[in-house]
Amino acid sequence: MALLEVRDLKTHFRTDDGIVKAVDGVSFSIEKGQTLGIVGESGSGKSVTCLTIMGLNPKRNTISSGEAIFKGENLLAMSSSRLRDIRGNDIAMIFQDPMTSLNPVHRIGAQLVEAIQLHRDVTKRQARARALELLNAVGIPRAERRIDDYPHQFSGGMRQRVMIAMALVNDPDLLIADEPTTALDVTTQAQILTLMTDLQKDFGSAIIIITHDLGVIAEVADDVVVMYAAKVAEHAPVDNLFKRPHHPYTWGLLGSLPRLDADVERLVQIRGQPPSLLNPPRGCRFHPRCPYVMGICKTVEPELLPAGDEADHVQACHLDVATKDREAAKVLAGTMAEAS
Amino acid sequence: MVRYLARRVIWAAVLFIAVTLVAYVLFFLIPNDPAKLVAGKAATDADVKRAAHFLGTDRPFYVQYAKFLDRLVIHQNLGFSFANRQSVNSIVGNAAPVTASLVFGGAIFWMLLALPIGILSALRPRSLLDRASMTFVLIGISAHPIWIGLIFAYFFGFKLGWTPITGYCDFINPSTDCGGPVQWAYHLVLPWATFAILFAALYVRMIRANVLDTMNEDYVRTARSKGAPEHLVLRSHILRNAMLPVVTMLGMDISLALGGAVFTETVYSLPGLGKTAIFGLNNNDIPTVEGVIVFATLAIIVFNLVVDLLYAWIDPRIRLT
Amino acid sequence: MHRRLWLTVSMAALGALLLVVAGFAHAASSSQAAKKGGTMRLNMSDTDLDFSDPSLSYYVIGWQVEYATGLKLVNYPDKAAPAGARLIPEAAVAMPIISNNGKTYTFTIRKGLRFSDGSAVTAKNFKWAFDRSATKAQQSPATPFMDDVVGYTNAVDGGKNPANVPGAVARGNKFILRLTHPDGGMLSKLAMPFFQAISTKTKVDPHGVTVYPSAGPYYISSYIRSRHLVLKKNKYYHGNRPRNIDTFDIEINTDVDQSLLQVRSNQRDYDMGGLPPSAHADLAKRYGVNKGQYQVHPLVETDYIALNTSRPTFSSVKLRKAANFAIDRPAMLRVRGAFAGKRTDQILPPGMGGFKDVKAYPLKGADYKTAKKLAGNSCKSVTLYTTTSPIGQGIAQVFKYNLSQMGCDVNIKNFVGGAIYTAMGTKGEPFDAGVSGWNQDYPDPYDFLNILLDGNSIHAENNNNLAYFNNAKVNKLLAAANLKTGAARYKAYGNLDVMITKNYAPWASYDNRNEREFVSKRTGGYLFQPANASADLNTFFLK
């Protein structure tokens, strides 16, 4: 049985302008100790997906449906107190911006201790020892002296280490990392990713890592979900995706892999803007931006189906397999050529 | 820290000179002669001149101002009132505790009103309570304290008899026939309420906005993701941060409120600084008015300093440099 | 508020004093026997005593208090008009023996009088009142009144501390006052609180003493400025003035509106500071006029528009008369609210000695026909000075409209508070007309006619002759009238009032104001003391 199985997850927000379908039928699963990457542009619904699983969307004006079965229990249907028991204990989360994700008025030690004491019946002293252990584990230098510092006294990278320490402090089965490196500089990004993979080995947690950066995915993920406009565009094991991407949107993302020799500009290769989720395009949601658009794309929504022979590689595109392989090869060749 | 304090002191001195000098100049622009007041209505020219010499108003204003500064800085003496020849030090000294009672008590009062209403309406936006609080805010911001004071005194004091209509009792060492903490508070209930309404209204809005803002902060989501129950999230994460700007505002507004105290003191016959200043103005009594200005300026300077230090203490991100 | 006389609120501290010779006041309608004892709780709204020091106090409320605390050589009895406005001996056994062609006054001091600290009152205490007020360091506003006393002004200028006024002599139980020339108003001046018996323990103090022994029925037992004043019975007082209440507990600088609510609900008994201007109609309706709680009594006061005779427009007597025909006196009085006073067209108020009622100008409304006939086309522009107070504005608007009907173009210039008197009191100030008013300082027509209309007294600044009226014939007649005493004096002044009003019209007078007061239900013994123009504290009692 999968550690977490998400089935047909939908999250709709009621706004003054109408209903925003932020997540519209997403399914995936993750096994113990595995790493799942969710990739997509801003607003594609990847963060909302995870917040929905965690029950962290604002209650008012949010309608969620579908299932998120975690160790046999549906997270979406459980009581809020049961969910609180799971949050921070079985499932922990780290967020995109370490500068704002730590409470500025509490010492970091206190914030870690709080996380422990919420789930463990331990004394403050024991909790503090555990906190210190984790701070050391995430590589905070002289942690015993810095434990009583405030967040603003740490650099961004150090703060993200603190966040990771806080997430791991209760030894969770699943760690959801929402763009954990986006706000960090490139060197620090690498360190944090290495740290996460190292810790995954030590702690044995499964990780869902959300990013818009395929480079990150390539480094850490076992399995990849590509999201576009609240839906899954492509879902494949990581090697498969990079070797044989099937969806034009994924090609676009691949084209946007940051390269050390050029200015880092993301998604320049995909023209246009992501669609409004208030009123998404009919048919394939990517069709207004797709260079391979056909008549059918504008009217019929493609289903998520295996492309070719690989059953674990699904995608939602009307193009035939041959065209896909040809175009994918071009994209990959171009990327390689530029990269080399 | 030392540099910070030094800079504050220099700035305070500049402010102080500017404020007192402006007050002096304004007085000399008004064609009024305090000597005539002192000499009396039947006075002849010679009587008025003698009175002017007695008061020192026969000197040019810059000499008077220099003397005022000299007295104040060297002897910590604000001089004597033109109108009743009392020591301005003692006039201000008697009035200050009354205004302090009003302003600080009023501040506590308005926070007691604004905190629960502001927080509750932030937690339940667009609810009945939120809308009711909006109405309260509208009234509080629109209505003049004198009007509110008259209405309160008429209904609660005169019609219902729940409170005294007006008057003041000392907290300690009663100088009138009533005194002590109980009488003091009893006589100040209506003034506090009147004084607090405007600010309570503003603070309801501000607290509501701050809490709503803070609720969307990333660290609040972090707290929830840790599994913290709502009451803990609210107390330890939302309020603690949402109150930071409120503290700063409170510091500034208490200074500002000294000005608003004039109305409340007038309508409830509180012998505080505001009433003293009005009395001084009506009687062309420069020393008394300057005395109130000097004291109020110093109080505001000191108070702002205290608020800054307090703020640095409660918000670890602030460093005083 | 209306207690602050002289037209404006902020002139209050200038000390418009109210000593009234006679009034049409009714005696307090109380047939109940006065009960003794108890504490009466008073307010003093929007004001404070200027001083409690007897040598400094120069404000109507201060004198109301000192009427209860002071012991004077001669004083007004605690009675309604007319008796209450006639001087009788108080500390003196009888009225003084006046000798040396009216230049020497000899008083014999009663035996057995004592201050509130138990010490005896002697002639020395009256001598000390003179010396103390003449001490330059004391800076007393009493000095202008005594320049007729031998050596008084020299003593002030000499600057000795304390001063010794040679014209004021204490010899045994006699107090002798020597004047440089006769002064018909001297006895009235001696009834001012400045010249009450002052304990020799009360030293010269430029800042004014607050609590001191006094020899009247009451004494000031505690006084905290702007806060609280307590009067207590002087247990050493054995005179025959009434005194019922044991203690007056007076809350100072209260709010006039809230204070009225307190008196209505019997939490306080009386507001020495007055009533809200808007309250009168309602009070009269609820409590009736002079039926007990709400009291209306005429002051010896005249409100007028000064017509500046030193400027082109109103140098013309025809135009001044025309203005007197044009103004709508009922409309002006209405500006002051219900029961505010009585219309007048004369200079002397009805309560003043010598007053003779004549019909000079229309009292029932404007007579534009006559005004136009007198003015012809000669009236051009008129600059009117007034105050920013609601009343000052109201009067100015009525005046502007009235004068426009006789062809004048009135420009209004506004002043805040007492600044108007500083401006109008300066010779050459470019105003043609000014909203003004005058209360007597002491009950003598001199205080109206000579002070306000004697052309010889015009100087550069601080003028009281706001019409800058300077007529040689009138000046001579005014001087002559002041030399007369008794009935002849009143007759001379009464005739002068009529003559100046009819022939020269330097003022457009429009009303004589009333004093309006309100006491609590439990308060008995209200007496409008005409000389003080206020309630007599001595006669108050609790029902």
Side-chain angles (χ1 to χ4, degrees):
Chain A
M1 189 181 72
L3 178 67
L4 172 70
E5 175 143 22
V6 175
R7 283 191 215 121
D8 196 25
L9 185 75
K10 289 183 181 173
T11 306
H12 296 178
F13 297 122
R14 266 195 303 265
T15 71
D16 290 340
D17 299 322
I19 288 180
V20 173
K21 299 178 178 177
V23 177
D24 204 9
V26 168
S27 306
F28 58 81
S29 66
I30 180 168
E31 304 295 333
K32 263 189 188 151
Q34 209 195 1
T35 300
L36 171 73
I38 303 181
V39 68
E41 284 169 290
S42 304
S44 60
K46 54 195 193 302
S47 288
V48 176
T49 303
C50 294
L51 291 174
T52 307
I53 294 166
M54 289 287 275
L56 287 176
N57 284 314
K59 290 207 175 49
R60 195 188 325 277
N61 302 326
T62 303
I63 315 157
S64 301
S65 64
E67 288 177 329
I69 311 293
F70 178 75
K71 295 205 272 189
E73 284 180 281
N74 185 359
L75 295 170
L76 266 56
M78 67 178 49
S79 73
S80 53
S81 68
R82 174 74 190 121
L83 190 59
R84 270 202 303 276
D85 288 343
I86 289 175
R87 279 207 298 251
N89 190 24
D90 299 292
I91 308 178
M93 194 158 176
I94 54 181
F95 298 97
Q96 175 172 351
D97 192 350
M99 308 306 276
T100 57
S101 296
L102 287 164
N103 192 325
V105 300
H106 294 302
R107 295 170 200 279
I108 59 138
Q111 299 190 47
L112 264 77
V113 166
E114 184 189 34
I116 298 164
Q117 289 194 311
L118 281 167
H119 299 287
R120 301 273 181 281
D121 191 16
V122 294
T123 64
K124 211 165 197 153
R125 180 190 290 265
Q126 288 167 319
R128 193 178 155 87
R130 170 71 177 158
L132 196 59
E133 186 187 325
L134 261 293
L135 287 176
N136 276 315
V138 298
I140 304 281
R142 294 173 293 126
E144 63 285 352
R145 276 166 64 186
R146 306 218 58 188
I147 187 166
D148 287 325
D149 281 354
Y150 288 97
H152 71 274
Q153 291 165 297
F154 287 80
S155 69
M158 284 298 147
R159 281 192 226 184
Q160 197 61 299
R161 286 170 194 263
V162 172
M163 281 298 293
I164 293 169
M166 196 153 79
L168 295 178
V169 85
N170 288 320
D171 225 340
D173 296 321
L174 175 63
L175 177 68
I176 300 175
D178 186 357
E179 311 243 14
T181 60
T182 309
L184 305 174
D185 64 74
V186 182
T187 334
T188 318
Q189 279 183 15
Q191 289 170 4
I192 294 293
L193 288 178
T194 313
L195 175 68
M196 284 177 62
T197 41
D198 288 352
L199 289 172
Q200 188 180 23
K201 276 174 213 145
D202 298 345
F203 288 80
S205 311
I207 296 178
I208 297 177
I209 186 160
I210 298 167
T211 180
H212 55 246
D213 186 345
L214 276 175
V216 171
I217 299 286
E219 206 161 318
V220 299
D222 301 315
D223 228 11
V224 189
V225 172
V226 178
M227 280 187 74
Y228 183 78
K231 285 179 175 289
V232 175
E234 189 163 6
H235 183 177
V238 69
D239 294 339
N240 244 330
L241 189 87
F242 279 97
K243 261 188 234 141
R244 208 181 159 196
H246 282 320
H247 199 286
Y249 178 62
T250 314
W251 302 339
L253 289 179
L254 282 167
S256 74
L257 265 179
R259 301 179 304 273
L260 294 173
D261 58 336
D263 288 343
V264 179
E265 267 192 66
R266 292 180 182 121
L267 299 184
V268 285
Q269 283 79 3
I270 306 176
R271 62 192 162 88
Q273 296 294 318
S276 156
L277 295 178
L278 255 179
N279 198 5
R282 277 164 54 84
C284 173
R285 291 186 174 186
F286 188 60
H287 85 253
R289 302 171 74 188
C290 183
Y292 308 94
V293 62
M294 304 176 293
I296 186 173
C297 302
K298 294 178 185 170
T299 49
V300 180
E301 195 175 339
E303 280 179 73
L304 197 60
L305 292 169
D309 42 5
E310 298 138 339
D312 56 354
H313 188 158
V314 292
Q315 49 79 54
C317 180
H318 290 302
L319 285 176
D320 58 275
V321 179
T323 315
K324 281 175 176 169
D325 282 342
R326 193 180 64 237
E327 291 302 317
K330 275 192 211 163
V331 170
L332 292 173
T335 313
M336 296 305 161
E338 279 177 44
S340 58
Chain B
M1 185 74 180
V2 173
R3 263 186 57 193
Y4 167 81
L5 282 176
R7 219 175 47 209
R8 287 296 292 243
V9 167
I10 291 167
W11 174 234
V14 172
L15 189 71
F16 176 80
I17 297 277
V19 169
T20 53
L21 188 61
V22 165
Y24 245 90
V25 170
L26 284 180
F27 256 104
F28 281 87
L29 291 178
I30 302 170
N32 249 345
D33 188 359
K36 204 170 173 199
L37 240 96
V38 169
K41 184 179 131 192
T44 61
D45 245 11
D47 293 318
V48 174
K49 289 209 171 77
R50 199 169 52 240
H53 186 72
F54 174 78
L55 296 177
T57 52
D58 54 343
R59 315 290 298 275
F61 95 88
Y62 51 86
V63 175
Q64 292 186 48
Y65 181 68
K67 284 190 142 186
F68 159 80
L69 276 188
D70 171 68
R71 256 200 323 262
L72 180 63
V73 176
I74 311 294
H75 307 287
Q76 288 81 51
N77 183 349
L78 289 162
F80 291 92
S81 155
F82 285 172
N84 61 31
R85 304 189 197 171
Q86 297 308 291
S87 146
V88 174
N89 284 33
S90 80
I91 292 176
V92 171
N94 286 336
V98 181
T99 302
S101 301
L102 176 67
V103 171
F104 290 107
I108 292 170
F109 210 93
W110 91 53
M111 287 312 284
L112 285 180
L113 269 178
L115 272 176
I117 300 179
I119 292 168
L120 285 176
S121 52
L123 294 182
R124 310 251 180 287
R126 297 178 194 198
S127 65
L128 190 67
L129 177 103
D130 189 31
R131 281 164 212 271
S133 89
M134 189 67 186
T135 312
F136 163 73
V137 166
L138 217 69
I139 293 172
I141 290 174
S142 319
H144 194 278
I146 296 230
W147 181 80
I148 294 176
L150 290 173
I151 298 287
F152 276 12
Y154 185 77
F155 283 105
F156 298 116
F158 181 66
K159 281 278 173 197
L160 300 171
W162 291 352
T163 61
I165 294 170
T166 174
Y168 180 76
C169 298
D170 287 302
F171 189 78
I172 41 164
N173 300 329
S175 62
T176 56
D177 56 341
C178 73
V182 174
Q183 284 295 318
W184 171 81
Y186 182 50
H187 279 77
L188 277 171
V189 166
L190 284 190
W192 282 337
T194 306
F195 183 71
I197 274 189
L198 168 69
F199 288 104
L202 294 173
Y203 275 68
V204 164
R205 291 322 282 172
M206 188 172 71
I207 289 169
R208 180 183 183 274
N210 278 341
V211 170
L212 277 176
D213 270 2
T214 312
M215 275 161 67
N216 292 324
E217 288 287 349
D218 288 348
Y219 53 77
V220 173
R221 192 179 53 190
T222 305
R224 290 210 177 92
S225 80
K226 289 197 289 192
E230 277 309 298
H231 66 89
L232 189 70
V233 173
L234 182 67
R235 202 181 62 228
S236 170
H237 296 277
I238 297 179
L239 290 187
R240 184 71 205 275
N241 284 283
M243 286 308 121
L244 289 178
V246 176
V247 169
T248 322
M249 281 294 286
L250 197 60
M252 296 198 301
D253 282 342
I254 285 184
S255 310
L256 202 81
L258 278 176
V262 171
F263 300 116
T264 317
E265 286 178 9
T266 304
V267 79
Y268 288 109
S269 309
L270 304 176
L273 291 170
K275 199 138 190 186
T276 304
I278 296 276
F279 207 63
L281 279 171
N282 280 341
N283 289 303
N284 220 16
D285 189 355
I286 305 174
T288 300
V289 175
E290 282 284 349
V292 172
I293 290 174
V294 166
F295 183 83
T297 309
L298 286 179
I300 288 171
I301 288 167
V302 169
F303 199 77
N304 281 343
L305 187 66
V306 169
V307 167
D308 279 2
L309 296 175
L310 184 73
Y311 196 64
W313 179 64
I314 58 170
D315 187 342
R317 285 166 297 185
I318 306 292
R319 281 291 161 268
L320 301 174
T321 48
Chain C
M1 303 285 265
H2 63 297
R3 236 170 210 287
R4 303 177 158 197
L5 298 165
W6 251 44
L7 181 72
T8 64
V9 169
S10 57
M11 282 312 274
L14 239 161
L17 299 180
L18 299 162
L19 299 172
V20 183
V21 162
F24 298 118
H26 304 284
S29 55
S30 168
S31 51
Q32 242 176 306
K35 272 204 285 190
K36 300 275 178 188
T39 296
M40 214 169 149
R41 295 152 63 81
L42 313 184
N43 283 341
M44 196 184 279
S45 282
D46 294 329
T47 189
D48 187 2
L49 304 177
D50 52 346
F51 295 96
S52 61
D53 188 311
S55 301
L56 295 177
S57 175
Y58 188 44
Y59 176 32
V60 58
I61 287 188
W63 284 20
Q64 187 176 9
V65 167
E66 297 201 6
Y67 183 68
T69 60
L71 174 79
K72 300 158 195 162
L73 290 164
V74 290
N75 204 354
Y76 304 94
D78 300 85
K79 286 179 179 156
R86 286 188 197 135
L87 286 169
I88 56 164
E90 186 181 22
V93 295
M95 292 307 268
I97 298 160
I98 302 176
S99 57
N100 191 18
N101 291 326
K103 292 196 285 188
T104 302
Y105 288 60
T106 306
F107 296 89
T108 306
I109 308 300
R110 258 179 228 275
K111 286 204 172 73
L113 296 170
R114 293 215 260 160
F115 283 103
S116 51
D117 65 351
S119 57
V121 176
T122 69
K124 278 189 184 136
N125 299 112
F126 292 99
K127 156 84 172 148
W128 176 229
F130 274 81
D131 290 347
R132 191 169 186 264
S133 73
T135 303
K136 195 177 176 182
Q138 187 64 43
Q139 186 57 52
S140 165
T143 54
F145 299 106
M146 287 299 161
D147 47 9
D148 289 347
V149 174
V150 172
Y152 189 93
T153 308
N154 283 343
V156 176
D157 293 336
K160 260 179 71 182
N161 187 354
N164 182 0
V165 178
V169 181
R171 190 178 295 153
N173 64 344
K174 303 270 195 261
F175 175 74
I176 302 149
L177 200 59
R178 299 209 176 92
L179 309 184
T180 51
H181 53 81
D183 181 349
M186 183 47 76
L187 284 182
S188 310
K189 293 177 187 172
L190 287 173
M192 289 177 159
F194 296 127
F195 308 107
Q196 65 180 274
I198 300 179
S199 165
T200 48
K201 288 172 213 154
T202 305
K203 300 296 180 202
V204 167
D205 182 349
H207 305 301
V209 294
T210 51
V211 176
Y212 56 93
S214 66
Y218 289 89
Y219 70 100
I220 295 170
S221 77
S222 121
Y223 176 38
I224 297 160
R225 293 209 152 266
S226 305
R227 297 284 298 274
H228 196 228
L229 172 71
V230 180
L231 305 184
K232 284 203 150 75
K233 255 187 191 169
N234 172 7
K235 62 178 171 177
Y236 298 103
Y237 182 81
H238 298 297
N240 45 19
R241 295 183 67 188
R243 51 209 190 108
N244 303 319
I245 301 293
D246 284 338
T247 306
F248 287 100
D249 192 297
I250 304 164
E251 202 70 64
I252 294 171
N253 210 359
T254 43
D255 178 82
V256 72
D257 290 293
Q258 318 288 42
S259 173
L260 175 58
L261 295 180
Q262 288 183 310
V263 177
R264 280 177 59 185
S265 57
N266 295 306
Q267 293 174 27
R268 312 295 291 186
D269 298 307
Y270 163 58
D271 191 337
M272 301 172 78
L275 295 166
S278 55
H280 296 288
D282 179 55
L283 286 174
K285 210 168 85 187
R286 278 174 199 271
Y287 303 98
V289 175
N290 293 343
K291 298 222 164 73
Q293 285 188 255
Y294 182 59
Q295 300 280 343
V296 178
H297 302 279
L299 295 169
V300 182
E301 186 268 358
T302 303
D303 287 311
Y304 64 99
I305 313 281
L307 304 172
N308 189 344
T309 61
S310 70
R311 299 255 306 161
T313 306
F314 289 123
S315 64
S316 150
V317 70
K318 268 194 173 177
L319 272 188
R320 297 203 297 267
K321 284 186 190 169
N324 262 292
F325 278 101
I327 64 166
D328 184 347
R329 292 176 171 85
M332 287 184 169
L333 185 55
R334 274 197 299 275
V335 171
R336 296 187 184 278
F339 307 98
K342 197 167 170 287
R343 294 166 298 216
T344 188
D345 54 350
Q346 287 172 257
I347 298 161
L348 290 180
M352 178 57 79
F355 171 80
K356 225 166 37 171
D357 194 7
V358 292
K359 192 182 168 338
Y361 304 105
L363 291 179
K364 289 183 177 161
D367 177 358
Y368 296 130
K369 220 172 118 189
T370 313
K372 269 187 215 157
K373 210 190 288 167
L374 283 165
N377 287 326
S378 61
C379 191
K380 299 285 180 294
S381 87
V382 170
T383 301
L384 173 75
Y385 280 17
T386 190
T387 64
T388 51
S389 74
I391 288 174
Q393 292 293 299
I395 300 285
Q397 288 304 323
V398 174
F399 183 80
K400 182 183 167 115
Y401 175 76
N402 294 159
L403 262 71
S404 73
Q405 300 301 304
M406 56 177 253
C408 306
D409 175 21
V410 179
N411 302 304
I412 297 172
K413 194 169 172 200
N414 298 306
F415 291 84
V416 177
I420 189 175
Y421 286 102
T422 311
M424 292 199 297
T426 305
K427 194 178 168 185
E429 180 76 15
F431 73 100
D432 299 304
V435 176
S436 190
W438 184 263
N439 286 272
Q440 63 175 5
D441 291 288
Y442 53 92
D444 191 277
Y446 177 95
D447 187 43
F448 268 78
L449 295 171
N450 295 57
I451 296 280
L452 302 176
L453 294 161
D454 181 355
N456 290 328
S457 65
I458 295 173
H459 26 71
E461 285 176 326
N462 302 318
N463 285 301
N464 286 324
N465 186 344
L466 301 179
Y468 293 89
F469 179 65
N470 189 356
N471 180 291
K473 187 180 155 199
V474 172
N475 293 348
K476 235 179 254 169
L477 287 169
L478 283 169
N482 187 34
L483 292 177
K484 294 180 172 137
T485 52
R489 181 182 182 89
Y490 290 144
K491 195 174 170 205
Y493 277 119
N495 288 336
L496 262 169
D497 173 31
V498 174
M499 184 191 107
I500 297 171
T501 302
K502 281 193 162 173
N503 298 348
Y504 301 104
W507 294 1
S509 308
Y510 59 91
D511 70 29
N512 305 119
R513 251 183 267 173
N514 285 336
E515 177 68 357
R516 295 165 288 182
E517 302 202 287
F518 180 64
V519 296
S520 71
K521 204 172 176 187
R522 63 179 202 144
T523 301
Y526 180 90
L527 172 71
F528 180 75
Q529 212 301 325
N532 262 342
S534 57
D536 187 338
L537 300 181
N538 298 324
T539 57
F540 272 136
F541 64 87
L542 295 174
K543 286 178 187 165

